[in-house]
Amino acid sequence: MTRVNVIIFYRHAAPGAGPLETAFATIRWQNANRQAIGFLRAGAEVGILDDLDNDNSFGQHVRETVEALAPDGVILLGSGSIPLATAADRRAFVATAGGPPGRALANSRYSADIVAVAGAAR
């Protein structure tokens, strides 16, 4: 059985943030949790990464997280991503990430909000 990890990136509202930023951070947190439950139901392992520091680039965070987890496949998304996703959508991403290495699936070719990559441990 292939091991697929979903990594949901979330950033808290800044200290002293105004009501709009705080409201959107709350909405993103709620969406992240809803997506986590959906991906768990689709057969993946899920983590919400909310301790991003500004010392490393986003790419460095991704590399370190994937290396630490060493999954067969990985799905990356932001906490505000794909709010209208269905169970079938999530299953398609999990199936791609758990499939043969060298395959990938994104929700957009030009600016993806979610990406699944098979053979991520490599």
Side-chain angles (χ1 to χ4, degrees):
M1 174 98 182
T2 58
R3 190 167 146 246
V4 174
N5 277 92
V6 177
I7 304 166
I8 303 172
F9 294 94
Y10 172 77
R11 187 175 298 274
H12 295 276
L20 187 59
E21 183 180 346
T22 301
F24 274 104
T26 300
I27 292 166
R28 287 192 325 274
W29 180 252
Q30 291 168 343
N31 187 62
N33 283 287
R34 191 167 36 84
Q35 296 297 354
I37 291 166
F39 278 108
L40 284 169
R41 289 179 180 156
E45 298 175 30
V46 180
I48 298 174
L49 187 59
D50 67 347
D51 60 351
L52 301 176
D53 60 50
N54 291 325
D55 295 336
N56 292 325
S57 69
F58 178 72
Q60 185 65 31
H61 285 295
V62 171
R63 266 189 303 281
E64 289 173 358
T65 303
V66 171
E67 286 173 0
L69 295 171
D72 298 311
V74 68
I75 300 170
L76 305 170
L77 68 149
S79 58
S81 299
I82 62 167
L84 302 178
T86 64
D89 296 330
R90 290 183 198 92
R91 285 192 304 270
F93 279 95
V94 171
T96 298
R103 300 213 176 194
L105 176 65
N107 71 323
S108 172
R109 168 186 307 208
Y110 301 105
S111 181
D113 298 312
I114 179 172
V115 178
V117 179
R122 294 182 186 169

